[in-house]
Amino acid sequence: MSWQTYVDDHLMCDIEGQHLTSAAIVGFDGSVWAQSEGFPQFKSGEITSIMNDFAEPGSLAPTGLYLGGTKYMVIQGEPGVVIRGKKGSGGVTVKKTNMALIIELFYDEPMAPGQCNMVVERLGDYLIEQGY
């Protein structure tokens, strides 16, 4: 299965009539393996900052999580495994696998953050089980 298929069929899927705004699978070096339409282009240092937070949990909390130049307030996550951020009624979830980051953005209510987190984290767990 191609990386794009994971994004299109598993991340951008229908969730109780709702959809994520955008999603991507990104290498640890910031290279985009696959992304949905409208996913923001990363700015310099954003992926490095995320990777640093996975290595040293909590390092993003004082400055915020930036994706595509947009700042998200870091909220609960799982140290070294998942980073979650919030901005207004939307947010971001970043799940680390053995080889990549799965990043999803959700903005539109009534989709609940928990629904989005579940989609990303289940795919991430599956990829980890598969050695990715």
Side-chain angles (χ1 to χ4, degrees):
M1 186 178 304
S2 76
W3 293 112
Q4 191 62 49
T5 301
Y6 284 113
V7 169
D8 295 341
D9 295 348
H10 298 282
L11 295 175
M12 299 303 293
C13 63
D14 182 283
I15 307 167
E16 298 178 14
Q18 303 296 316
H19 296 273
L20 301 177
T21 301
S22 59
I25 299 175
V26 180
F28 293 158
D29 62 355
S31 60
V32 177
W33 296 4
Q35 67 183 20
S36 65
E37 189 175 316
F39 193 85
Q41 184 170 346
F42 298 113
K43 306 289 184 209
S44 176
E46 290 178 341
I47 297 300
T48 301
S49 295
I50 291 169
M51 291 302 297
N52 288 343
D53 193 79
F54 281 119
E56 297 176 35
S59 64
L60 283 177
T63 60
L65 165 67
Y66 285 85
L67 280 174
T70 300
K71 180 180 179 179
Y72 297 86
M73 178 180 64
V74 177
I75 57 175
Q76 95 279 0
E78 296 174 48
V81 180
V82 176
I83 301 169
R84 296 184 186 107
K86 183 152 181 62
K87 179 180 173 77
S89 63
V92 60
T93 300
V94 182
K95 169 79 174 185
K96 183 179 182 236
T97 71
N98 298 326
M99 298 172 59
L101 301 175
I102 301 171
I103 303 171
E104 59 86 6
L105 302 172
F106 57 95
Y107 288 100
D108 301 320
E109 292 182 337
M111 180 173 269
Q115 293 171 305
C116 300
N117 296 339
M118 184 177 60
V119 170
V120 171
E121 292 174 36
R122 282 186 180 168
L123 177 60
D125 291 342
Y126 170 78
L127 292 175
I128 289 168
E129 289 171 10
Q130 301 305 308
Y132 297 110

